[in-house]
Amino acid sequence: MTEKVIIYTQETCGPCHAEKEWLTSHNISFEDRDIRKNGAYMQEVVDLGASATPVTVVELDGKREVVMGFDREKLANILGLE
């Protein structure tokens, strides 16, 4: 199973910190993209149709899932943690 997890965050976002801790506690590697430090990341979030962080993109076996907000249940389902 090949997976890539990208989480778009910002420093002042409590749910962003909670999701990163949750991913880490489940041994899920992820790329943290701070939208305040890189304008290209902000544009990627806008292009995904989001207006708030966190936004998580999971690429898994050729499929791409986008999760808006910190949705533990949806993430667990996508990542096979249930």
Side-chain angles (χ1 to χ4, degrees):
M1 179 165 64
T2 304
E3 69 183 35
K4 180 176 182 182
V5 178
I6 300 169
I7 178 173
Y8 294 91
T9 65
Q10 51 189 322
E11 187 66 34
T12 58
C13 170
C16 298
H17 293 289
E19 182 174 335
K20 290 188 285 187
E21 288 176 13
W22 183 83
L23 289 168
T24 299
S25 74
H26 287 88
N27 298 314
I28 303 293
S29 299
F30 59 91
E31 179 183 344
D32 184 2
R33 295 186 177 180
D34 188 324
I35 65 169
R36 296 292 178 195
K37 294 181 180 174
N38 185 322
Y41 295 159
M42 172 71 91
Q43 187 58 51
E44 290 173 19
V45 166
V46 170
D47 292 345
L48 289 168
S51 59
T53 54
V55 176
T56 307
V57 177
V58 180
E59 295 176 6
L60 185 63
D61 295 331
K63 295 180 187 174
R64 181 176 165 194
E65 298 270 356
V66 178
V67 180
M68 305 292 182
F70 179 25
D71 186 334
R72 285 179 184 88
E73 186 175 322
K74 187 171 184 179
L75 286 166
N77 185 32
I78 292 166
L79 295 166
L81 299 175
E82 296 185 294

